[in-house]
Each structure stands twice: as structure tokens, then as C-alpha cells.
Amino acid sequence: MAPAPGALPGVPAVPQTILMDVDTGIDDALALVYLLSRPEVHLQAITCTAGNVGARQVALNNLALLQLCGRAGVEVAIGAEVPLEIPLVTTEETHGPQGIGHAELPAPAQQISPRHAVDVWVEEVRAHPGEITGLITGPLTNFALALRREPELPMLLKGLVIMGGSFYYQGNTTPTAEWNVSVDPHAAREVFAAYRGLPEDKLPVLCALETTERIEMLPDHLRRLGEAAGAGPELVLPDQPEGLRSASASPLVACLSDAIRFYMEFHRLYDQGYVAHMHDAFAACAAVGRTPFTTRVATVDVETASPLLVGTTVADFRGLWGLPPNARIVASNDPEQCFEELISSVGALARRSMSAGRPATG
């Protein structure tokens, strides 16, 4: 097992440049706000793919969240609006009609970029070789298309963190498949193939369900977030009416609370308890080295042909296929520390916003 890359809590933060590819999404939204809360993180651009909701709605969600956090000027570009080979399936029942649960955000002032997401990936990484860490929390369609254009992306990137897959662990979309991979299994397969045999430090860090489902947000975490923001305890409780809107004095806390309440209601509907799995928020913390984790090197492939198993990710940890490794799969993490990081950092951003009497600034 390898230790987590980058700085850990208690160690001085180092500057990080992130190119984020998302299908926002409630947990993507928390991941984005978290990155905006980190003063050492420079967000190079946000690229959008269809997944939780359509790609245009994803872009509008990201622009609105940037505006809420007082961060004008971050480029938001639309990419793939359909998977490579199969029809698009979205999941409004999980994330709400707009992808952000019960939250309602005003139309953003900033416009969607005229560049295509694939152009953003290729042009930005070529212009900043060895400086950009990619963070992908949605289907891998945009990145697969970018690899077709520039096969050297894996070596030009500083690193890549992916939220996706499940390995010998129950899927969350089919019995064996995780959502992001199942939306576009052909893209995932192309991405993993492109990394086969590269140096270990260049292999993507893969945050799969067996560790991201441990990042289980509870009502107490939201209570603490409100307190960290200086807005008083934020009470999202199982005995409250569904769809109850937040009355928080912090617009940022209210937005996240309304989104996460929807996610908790969804999980309860499927007998998982009044909780919310914050898959993408863990991936964001991991990408900037702010939460500890270990990894196992493996050769990963994706099933694309079997109707029964399509989207299933398979990891060969023992070299039985005789193929070189192409991923570092997260093997362990620390949920308690991860939530401490999320709550303290996002809470501080919300507190700064309230004290200044204006939208949050990072």
C-alpha cells in the first residue's frame, strides 16, 4: 500500500491547481464548494458532462455555486452531452430535478464558456505541463474524448483523481456497477486502457464505492456546519417534513442544507438510513492532499458487453491477467477526519461571507 500523496492536515498546505470535471450533483456541489474554500487551491476550470442531470444544467449549477461563493472568472465549459456509445440515463430521483436537491439557485450572471470541455482539457494541460491535477467526479466521457485528441495527457498531468467504480463491493446502480462508470462504461474502459503500464506515480487514484460510501454524512455533520459558519446549529432531522427549507442566516449553509436534505431523504427511501454518501467530497479532499488514505495498485478493466454486468469494474490485484497496472485504488480512508476537514473549511468560507455581508469568497 502507498501513502496518500500531498500534504496532510497539520502540515502546511501547498499550492494546488485543479481542473475539475463534474456532473453536478449534490455531492459534486459539496466537492466544488470545498475546493473553493481552500485558499491554496487554484481552480483552473470546470468542465461539465451529462450524468446526474444534463450537461447544460450541470454547467448552470456550477456557475450558480461559483456566484454564491463569490468566485467570478472560473471558466465553466460544457462537454459531452451523451455517452460514447449508449443512451444517456440521468438520475433526478437521486439529486433532484436540477441536480441540487431542494436548493434553488438564481440564474448566474456569468456565461458558459464558448470552449468545449475537451478543448479545455487539452489546451490547459498542454499549456501547464506537470502542474494540473485532474479531478473527475462524473462519468469519464469528457476525459476519454480528450485522450483521443491528446494521448499524452496522463504524462502531462501532475495527477488524476477519479470518483468511480466498485471492486468486489455492491454497486449503487446495478448489483455490481457504480453510477459514474455505468453511465458511460465505454469511456471508463478507454481511460483505464490509456494508463496501462505508466509509472506508478502517474496512475489515477481511484475513489471507489467501498471507501466513498464510508463518507456518510449525518444530521450532526450539518448541525456542526451551521455552527462552524457562525449561523447556529443547522437542524436537518429525520422527523421533520420532507422538503423543509433551511432558515440559516448563511446563504451557503442554506444551499448545502437544502441539497443534502434531499439526498438524505433519498437514501432513507432506499432503506439506507437518514444519511448522505459524500463520494465526491472525499475525492476532492484526496485530490488536494487534505485527508489521509492508502492505495493498492491494480489492473482495472470495465465490462461493456454483458447485459447482466455492464458497467462492472474489475480489479486484478495479483497480476493474473499478466497486464501492467493502470490504477491506484483507495484501500482505506478516515471518514471522521474527512468530515472535520470539510466542516471546518466550508464553515470558515461561509463565516467569512457572513462577516463581510457579501457572497462567500475563498
Side-chain angles (χ1 to χ4, degrees):
M1 294 187 179
L8 291 175
V11 178
V14 296
Q16 304 276 349
T17 300
I18 299 290
L19 201 166
M20 192 178 191
D21 195 290
V22 292
D23 64 339
T24 316
I26 293 166
D27 51 331
D28 310 75
L30 180 58
L32 172 56
V33 171
Y34 167 72
L35 291 178
L36 295 173
S37 76
R38 295 301 314 167
E40 78 278 11
V41 173
H42 170 69
L43 198 55
Q44 190 75 17
I46 304 170
T47 54
C48 309
T49 188
N52 290 319
V53 289
R56 178 173 176 78
Q57 185 62 54
V58 169
L60 293 174
N61 290 348
N62 294 328
L63 287 170
L65 289 165
L66 287 166
Q67 185 167 294
L68 181 64
C69 293
R71 290 292 292 272
V74 177
E75 182 177 9
V76 176
I78 292 176
E81 299 191 60
V82 293
L84 296 182
E85 298 186 27
I86 61 176
L88 174 64
V89 177
T90 57
T91 185
E92 286 83 357
E93 72 278 6
T94 306
H95 291 270
Q98 295 181 305
I100 49 173
H102 297 303
E104 295 178 6
L105 292 170
Q110 183 178 322
Q111 298 298 305
I112 296 168
S113 172
R115 287 203 290 178
H116 191 278
V118 172
D119 296 324
V120 173
W121 271 103
V122 173
E123 292 168 10
E124 295 301 319
V125 175
R126 281 176 175 170
H128 305 278
E131 298 177 16
I132 293 174
T133 297
L135 170 62
I136 304 176
T137 63
L140 288 159
T141 318
N142 285 338
F143 194 65
L145 292 170
L147 284 167
R148 291 180 180 182
R149 177 93 60 83
E150 175 51 273
E152 292 300 312
L153 280 180
M155 296 302 293
L156 291 170
L157 282 165
K158 179 181 179 181
L160 180 66
V161 175
I162 296 170
M163 190 277 127
S166 59
F167 297 96
Y168 311 106
Y169 183 87
Q170 186 82 4
N172 64 353
T173 304
T174 74
T176 60
E178 176 274 331
W179 168 257
N180 287 336
V181 174
S182 71
V183 171
D184 196 343
H186 299 87
R189 194 171 201 216
E190 284 193 25
V191 169
F192 293 126
Y195 276 86
R196 190 170 293 156
L198 295 186
E200 184 173 328
D201 65 345
K202 289 295 185 181
L203 300 183
V205 171
L206 193 52
C207 305
L209 287 183
E210 55 267 33
T211 46
T212 65
E213 284 198 345
R214 299 183 71 225
I215 311 302
E216 192 171 75
M217 187 167 243
L218 304 172
D220 188 60
H221 293 124
L222 282 169
R223 177 190 63 78
R224 290 162 51 196
L225 177 62
E227 291 172 342
E234 183 64 11
L235 300 180
V236 176
L237 303 172
D239 59 352
Q240 292 173 333
E242 291 196 356
L244 183 68
R245 301 295 299 278
S246 172
S248 176
S250 164
L252 182 55
V253 170
C255 173
L256 293 173
S257 176
D258 288 344
I260 292 165
R261 181 188 292 275
F262 187 99
Y263 213 22
M264 288 179 168
E265 291 167 356
F266 166 81
H267 284 80
R268 179 171 61 185
L269 182 65
Y270 286 86
D271 298 322
Q272 297 181 62
Y274 201 67
V275 303
H277 295 140
M278 288 299 161
H279 314 276
D280 299 340
F282 167 69
C285 292
V288 296
R290 296 291 301 173
T291 194
F293 61 92
T294 62
T295 61
R296 293 180 67 190
V297 174
T299 304
V300 172
D301 207 340
V302 183
E303 177 58 48
T304 58
S306 165
L308 183 65
L309 298 174
V310 65
T312 301
T313 45
V314 182
D316 178 9
F317 293 106
R318 298 167 59 191
L320 299 176
W321 288 334
L323 297 172
N326 59 358
R328 290 175 286 170
I329 299 172
V330 175
S332 66
N333 58 357
D334 186 339
E336 182 178 353
Q337 184 281 328
C338 186
F339 275 115
E340 288 289 343
E341 172 68 14
L342 289 166
I343 291 166
S344 62
S345 193
V346 173
L349 173 61
R351 181 183 287 270
R352 292 195 296 273
S353 168
M354 289 181 61
S355 65
R358 60 175 184 268
T361 55

